[in-house]
Amino acid sequence: MSRQLQPNITSTMINPHTSLTVIGVAVGQRGPWPVVSGAPNSTVDMVAPPPEYLAVAAWAA
Amino acid sequence: MVGVAYRGSISLEDIQVDFQVEAMELGHTLGFGVRERVILKGQLSETERVRLERAARFCPVGQVLNKGALAIEDQVHWNSGEVSRVSRPLEQPPTLPGTGTLIPSGSVRGRYLLDTKEYDEDGRMAHEGEAKVYVTCENLTRSSTWTALAGHSSQGFVPSPIPLVHAAWAASTATTLNRLLPCDIEAAGNSTVELSIPASGGRGDSQSNAAQGIVAPRQVVRRVKVPGTPETTPIEVVQAALWADPISAACIHGGTLIEDEVLVA
């Protein structure tokens, strides 16, 4: 299965407490939609909701 | 649920959903749990209410987070070029320093945007429309609120719920790997995550499964790119980090729904 599949979604850290995720990264897919998320930490305020909250937001939608 | 109501000729006029989110042990890691309240608006019979309640419990995203409905194939790619496939979890994963970061308490409130519903030229509903979602949680120095949009539209202005939950999982995996793996970003680069998800049966099948209470597993390939080599970042450590990830735990074990209620207003 995996050999035939192109990635739909990629995620990488843009700083130690923030990730940038892109939905629909390949040509021909719907998107791209960027999603920023934050990681709870003891240093700085998160600039975006934690991933768990984005997951629940998808559930709510 | 709007799609299920339409297909079942149920006169659902509006819907809102509220979640309370809290940290909770899930499987072998510190994950999260939710308390869900769905409010349906319309003149609904008891049979229709029960049908929509079942649809709420078997919605596609709920299946991922609460019923463990993902069949996951993991691939680990090291910066040095080696690749390994991981098909089975470790029975006794080592505990890594940094495991157990608390998830802040908060809420998620979904509000349906009624006027985003789309109909075709024959008057049939073509797209269920979009929802605006308010996310509120404790932050380091204050309580913070963000807004997200998701749903189904012909123009594709916003992502659908299933890609959004997959994106949340990818973000969670990247965040967890970054937190738990030994990493010198300047020297070795940080971790990245790619998800490859084959097309499923589409919204119609998902809504039909939800209406009938059927759990439909989805296959996903997750490629994680990690720093170093298999010697500096051993596969057992990568596996332990993957299995300590809160959303991965939800996708594998389910069980995030602590309680739920469906009310008719």
Side-chain angles (χ1 to χ4, degrees), chain B residues 13-258:
Chain B
E13 295 169 9
D14 198 1
I15 179 173
Q16 64 185 55
V17 58
D18 294 334
F19 288 92
Q20 296 297 319
V21 182
E22 58 194 73
M24 185 178 81
E25 198 152 311
L26 211 56
H28 50 264
T29 192
L30 191 56
F32 66 102
V34 297
R35 301 175 194 276
E36 179 187 29
R37 170 185 279 194
V38 178
I39 298 175
L40 308 172
K41 294 183 180 174
Q43 297 296 318
L44 307 179
S45 68
E46 179 59 15
T47 303
E48 290 171 335
R49 191 197 67 80
V50 168
R51 183 178 171 87
L52 292 178
E53 184 177 71
R54 185 169 56 230
R57 289 182 176 153
F58 285 86
C59 83
V61 175
Q63 289 195 21
V64 170
L65 297 175
N66 190 49
K67 300 189 184 299
L70 283 188
I72 303 167
E73 176 188 324
D74 277 323
Q75 298 177 2
V76 180
H77 295 238
W78 284 269
N79 261 11
S80 53
E82 288 90 343
V83 177
S84 180
R85 293 188 180 194
V86 181
S87 56
R88 298 182 60 186
L90 294 174
E91 291 185 5
Q92 293 287 332
T95 302
L96 304 176
T99 302
T101 296
L102 270 178
I103 294 166
S105 298
S107 65
V108 173
R109 294 174 291 148
R111 298 295 178 264
Y112 183 44
L113 301 174
L114 284 166
D115 60 357
T116 59
K117 222 185 277 188
E118 295 179 41
Y119 295 88
D120 65 17
E121 55 192 20
D122 297 321
R124 289 187 293 257
M125 191 165 70
H127 296 277
E128 292 81 355
E130 299 161 2
K132 181 165 60 173
V133 185
Y134 302 102
V135 174
T136 302
C137 73
E138 291 302 315
N139 212 337
L140 182 64
T141 66
R142 56 196 136 168
S143 176
S144 296
T145 297
W146 299 274
T147 306
L149 289 170
H152 303 285
S153 64
S154 58
Q155 296 296 320
F157 293 130
V158 296
S160 302
I162 277 288
L164 186 58
V165 75
H166 288 150
W169 178 39
S172 179
T173 302
T175 302
T176 301
L177 292 176
N178 186 65
R179 180 164 50 88
L180 297 181
L181 293 187
C183 177
D184 179 346
I185 290 179
E186 293 298 322
N190 60 3
S191 302
T192 61
V193 177
E194 295 179 355
L195 299 183
S196 299
I197 305 147
S200 67
R203 295 200 320 279
D205 285 356
S206 296
Q207 290 168 8
S208 177
N209 290 337
Q212 297 176 61
I214 295 172
V215 175
R218 291 167 184 263
Q219 292 198 313
V220 180
V221 176
R222 177 171 58 172
R223 295 183 195 89
V224 298
K225 298 181 178 177
V226 299
T229 69
E231 287 72 37
T232 60
T233 312
I235 183 69
E236 294 79 12
V237 172
V238 178
Q239 277 188 276
L242 291 175
W243 290 92
D245 173 56
I247 296 186
S248 296
C251 293
I252 293 162
H253 300 289
T256 54
L257 188 60
I258 300 168

Side-chain angles (χ1 to χ4, degrees), chain A:
Chain A
M1 176 176 67
S2 55
R3 282 183 194 157
Q4 304 161 2
L5 291 177
Q6 293 298 307
N8 312 76
I9 295 169
T10 64
S11 185
T12 190
M13 302 302 291
I14 53 178
N15 68 42
H17 308 301
T18 310
S19 65
L20 174 62
T21 305
V22 179
I23 303 169
V25 290
V27 173
Q29 296 174 352
R30 296 196 95 187
W33 293 291
V35 179
V36 178
S37 61
N41 66 91
S42 58
T43 310
V44 295
D45 275 325
M46 296 178 288
V47 300
E52 296 81 7
Y53 279 79
L54 288 174
V56 179
W59 199 345

